[in-house]
Amino acid sequence: MLWAVAGVATLGFLVALEAAARRYGLPGPITTQVQEVVIAPKSGFLLYAGMALMMVVLTWRERFIALGVALGIDVVFFLVRWAADIKVTDGHPFGNGALWVILGYGVIAVARRTGRERALLLKGVGLGLLLVAGRKTGDTWLLITAKTRPAVLDTYLATADHALGNPSWVAGQILAATGPIGSHVLDYVYIQLPVAAVVISLYQMRKVAAERGFPAHHLVRTFLVIGLLGPAIYMIFPVVGPVFAYGGGAFGTGGEHWAIASLWPHTPPPIAPPHPVSYDTLTPRNCMPSLHTAWATAIFIHSRKGPRVLRFAGTFWLVATLSATLGFGYHYGVDLIAGVVFALTIEAALRSLARGWDRSGTQLVAHGTAVFAALLVAYRYLPLDMAKHPWLFGPLLLLAMGSVIHGYMRTTKSWEPIATPALQPEPQPRVA
């Protein structure tokens, strides 16, 4: 019943976003996903990652067959595009096959499976599609933020960032000094964050096929909820980021006309009373909080129970993501602090939901929520005080984040591991 309610709610949410996107004359998440059945997908890696999540419910023989079919379909698509001289300029030349396999197993579940086996396969298909739909939903959300929030609050965060020593400006100069190799590595890490999440999730779900049931809590749940709730904060606190607001319209997005000043990354903005600034209707207002930081934090947390190679990968992805968000000028330092608090609060809530709410879990979620709200209020109404008294507010910001980290570590240390609810065999009819 819970899965059915979640499915209906998700479908309703996607339909609402589709309608919102159509108001601006652009395709929404449902349309863009349907188009990728045929056209070159935006992210082939993500489609194969979604297929990998779906395959956790299959046997090894079925997994090899599914992978072979997906690769075969992609080869056919490649040959057809080559024969028709169709250039892939906005997307990847692979990934259609993975989507076909996911949808195909959805048909198999309905037409060829029954009872709990059908339910398990549909859950696998839904999990794979949710990962892909989450990306499409995020793209639509970003469009809505740009269209509905003409003014941005970058001057507030840039002013508040003086309390932390303007870390985005410092990281931008360091990254520029490393040359193209460092930039390419961090850019790849930044873009392929969902794939890293899938790798950790596959380890967590490695026993799904054998135990015939999903873990009560896993990384995908946290990943999707972060992506669902985060854009709502974008609407409250619209910010484009230092590379756009202070970098002269990087990547051809805004241009010199929209940039407040061409200062990033060499000259921190002067301390002055902040004010809302008009910006274009193309650049997403996706800085506060830093969801890449929140996702990387979730990956780090969930990798702690894995083998050494996964723990190392989780640490690397967190450090590299933080470096990229600051070094490329996508975020201010205060965004990252809010992102960590945001991730830990959501993770604590989902763990409590899976294991049953108790006093410690409730207190942790309440504390994280209060700290996050206090950060937003401080960034909006106290940035000038923060900039003028960095010796006070800098440590206070770090202590606020540290209090949530400490509370999470102390509380979750006493929690028992969450069991995996297995599917029980269906009752056999009584023979008279």
Side-chain angles (χ1 to χ4, degrees):
M1 177 61 69
L2 181 60
W3 280 82
V5 172
V8 172
T10 301
L11 179 60
F13 180 68
L14 291 175
V15 171
L17 283 181
E18 182 75 25
R22 293 284 179 168
R23 288 184 57 189
Y24 299 104
L26 295 171
I30 298 177
T31 300
T32 54
Q33 189 59 77
V34 171
Q35 289 175 342
E36 289 188 350
V37 174
V38 178
I39 67 173
K42 291 286 186 179
S43 178
F45 290 107
L46 187 64
L47 284 169
Y48 270 93
M51 186 184 73
L53 281 180
M54 183 273 298
M55 290 196 299
V56 298
V57 303
L58 305 179
T59 64
W60 277 106
R61 178 177 178 274
E62 292 170 333
R63 291 170 186 171
F64 284 121
I65 293 175
L67 179 59
V69 171
L71 293 175
I73 292 174
D74 273 336
V75 170
V76 172
F77 269 92
F78 174 80
L79 293 176
V80 170
R81 290 180 183 127
W82 175 75
D85 196 27
I86 300 175
K87 305 295 184 181
V88 178
T89 58
D90 186 22
H92 289 81
F94 60 91
N96 301 97
L99 182 57
W100 278 53
V101 168
I102 296 174
L103 296 175
Y105 267 100
V107 174
I108 292 173
V110 175
R112 302 292 299 275
R113 302 289 175 87
T114 60
R116 292 187 174 93
E117 291 301 316
R118 171 188 289 175
L120 183 65
L121 184 53
L122 284 176
K123 288 178 182 178
V125 171
L127 196 63
L129 289 177
L130 271 178
L131 182 69
V132 180
R135 174 68 175 270
K136 303 302 180 185
T137 299
D139 293 341
T140 304
W141 258 122
L142 297 183
L143 167 69
I144 293 173
T145 64
K147 297 295 184 182
T148 61
R149 294 296 182 267
V152 298
L153 304 179
D154 281 75
T155 57
Y156 291 83
L157 295 191
T159 303
D161 230 28
H162 282 278
L164 298 174
N166 303 295
S168 182
W169 271 257
V170 175
Q173 295 176 39
I174 294 175
L175 184 59
T178 63
I181 296 180
S183 297
H184 288 318
V185 170
L186 291 185
D187 185 55
Y188 183 83
V189 169
Y190 192 84
I191 293 174
Q192 299 302 336
L193 191 65
V195 178
V198 169
V199 172
I200 304 297
S201 300
L202 289 177
Y203 174 78
Q204 293 179 323
M205 301 179 189
R206 66 194 183 280
K207 298 180 181 180
V208 166
E211 298 180 352
R212 317 309 294 162
F214 281 89
H217 178 60
H218 48 79
L219 176 58
V220 177
R221 299 173 79 231
T222 306
F223 213 82
L224 292 174
V225 173
I226 287 174
L228 177 66
L229 298 181
I233 312 301
Y234 293 164
M235 302 291 286
I236 299 172
F237 213 119
V239 181
V240 294
V243 72
F244 298 105
Y246 295 96
F251 312 123
T253 305
E256 292 289 347
H257 175 69
W258 295 105
I260 299 170
S262 297
L263 300 176
W264 189 88
H266 302 294
T267 306
I271 298 176
H275 55 88
V277 178
S278 297
Y279 211 80
D280 67 11
T281 57
L282 298 176
T283 308
R285 279 62 164 155
N286 61 340
C287 283
M288 175 54 66
S290 170
L291 294 196
H292 268 78
T293 297
W295 283 322
T297 300
I299 289 174
F300 175 81
I301 292 172
H302 284 262
S303 67
R304 296 305 91 191
K305 297 294 184 181
R308 179 178 298 179
V309 64
L310 282 187
R311 296 197 302 271
F312 173 81
T315 304
F316 167 77
W317 228 271
L318 176 61
V319 173
T321 299
L322 297 180
S323 301
T325 55
L326 292 175
F328 288 129
Y330 295 149
H331 289 281
Y332 302 92
V334 290
D335 302 343
L336 274 61
I337 289 178
V340 172
V341 174
F342 188 69
L344 292 175
T345 304
I346 290 177
E347 174 67 17
L350 291 177
R351 283 182 178 268
S352 296
L353 186 64
R355 64 184 297 275
W357 287 91
D358 58 13
R359 182 178 179 180
S360 62
T362 303
Q363 289 177 339
L364 176 59
V365 174
H367 176 65
T369 303
V371 170
F372 183 75
L375 290 174
L376 293 184
V377 171
Y379 297 160
R380 182 64 174 83
Y381 297 104
L382 299 174
L384 197 57
D385 297 297
M386 297 169 70
K388 291 180 177 179
H389 305 93
W391 55 269
L392 172 63
F393 284 96
L396 281 178
L397 289 175
L398 296 177
L399 284 173
M401 178 182 68
S403 70
V404 179
I405 295 174
H406 174 71
Y408 180 86
M409 295 177 61
R410 182 187 63 186
T411 303
T412 56
K413 186 177 181 180
S414 63
W415 285 351
E416 295 294 330
I418 303 174
T420 300
L423 290 175
Q424 300 298 324
E426 288 190 314
Q428 299 297 320
R430 181 179 297 179
V431 179

